[in-house]
Amino acid sequence: MSKIELAEFAADIPDDWNVQGMLTITLPSEDKNVKPNVILTKEYLPRDVDLNEYFAKIKESIQKRGIKDLKIADERDVAISGVRGKMMICSWDVSAMAEMMKNQNPDRPAPEVKPGQIVKQVQVTLLKGTLAINMTASFPNEKFPEYYKPFQQFLKGLRIGEGLLKE
């Protein structure tokens, strides 16, 4: 029997079940409107996929969102807990995202955001066999170094290995 543990929550999982899903982690913030966060997804792909090919599709989906001022600042190879991956850092004006949401869903209220509020996002993708782990960390640009440092510590603390994951 496998076990999942999430802070104050734990559950035993039958061996023939796959644990896949999404987890949102919020970092402490003094700003009541801004919630720096990390969204982590874990899934098993139907077959082995090349890391560069898989990451290219993720990057393309981000670029196809239609955010007109999206800028990719960095893209590199990474290894976390012995697992190869890719990391990309990009940024955009949050007002452009709000405008895009408003145009896509005119019947829904969109957040009111003043132009010039820049968000910086770190996209991390790890592949181990058919296991895909994706993390998206979003932080206000002006406080990026303040939030990026604990995010890097979070990455260093990830354990992906034998006895922890199904192959």
Side-chain angles (χ1 to χ4, degrees):
M1 185 145 310
S2 298
K3 181 176 225 150
I4 58 171
E5 294 184 42
L6 298 170
E8 302 85 31
F9 171 80
D12 292 324
I13 307 297
D15 288 334
D16 60 346
W17 290 17
N18 277 327
V19 178
Q20 301 191 108
M22 183 184 328
L23 172 67
T24 302
I25 303 166
T26 56
L27 284 73
S29 173
E30 295 173 11
D31 188 332
K32 293 176 183 160
N33 298 316
V34 176
K35 297 292 181 211
N37 64 71
V38 179
I39 298 173
L40 186 142
T41 62
K42 174 189 175 243
E43 66 177 317
Y44 289 95
L45 304 174
R47 61 178 173 75
D48 283 349
V49 178
D50 176 73
L51 174 62
N52 291 322
E53 178 185 327
Y54 183 76
F55 192 74
K57 289 180 182 179
I58 290 171
K59 183 178 173 180
E60 180 183 2
S61 74
I62 292 169
Q63 292 170 318
K64 284 188 172 182
R65 287 182 194 161
I67 305 169
K68 59 187 169 200
D69 63 344
L70 175 72
K71 293 177 183 76
I72 297 173
D74 189 17
E75 187 176 329
R76 66 180 97 153
D77 294 327
V78 294
I80 297 171
S81 187
V83 178
R84 288 183 50 240
K86 301 285 275 181
M87 179 168 54
M88 177 176 72
I89 299 175
C90 56
S91 63
W92 64 84
D93 188 321
V94 180
S95 66
M97 176 71 94
E99 187 64 31
M100 184 189 76
M101 289 169 59
K102 186 176 175 180
N103 291 338
Q104 289 176 345
N105 299 297
D107 298 335
R108 289 189 187 162
E112 293 294 322
V113 180
K114 295 176 186 171
Q117 186 176 340
I118 307 297
V119 68
K120 215 170 208 179
Q121 190 174 76
V122 183
Q123 175 69 43
V124 177
T125 296
L126 304 170
L127 287 181
K128 181 176 183 173
T130 59
L131 173 68
I133 297 172
N134 287 289
M135 288 167 272
T136 304
S138 302
F139 309 128
N141 186 57
E142 67 278 2
K143 293 191 174 194
F144 183 77
E146 179 181 326
Y147 292 113
Y148 186 59
K149 191 175 262 186
F151 177 66
Q152 288 175 306
Q153 291 301 316
F154 169 76
L155 292 177
K156 287 178 184 175
L158 288 177
R159 294 183 317 269
I160 305 165
E162 308 309 315
L164 294 173
L165 302 173
K166 292 181 187 178
E167 289 295 324

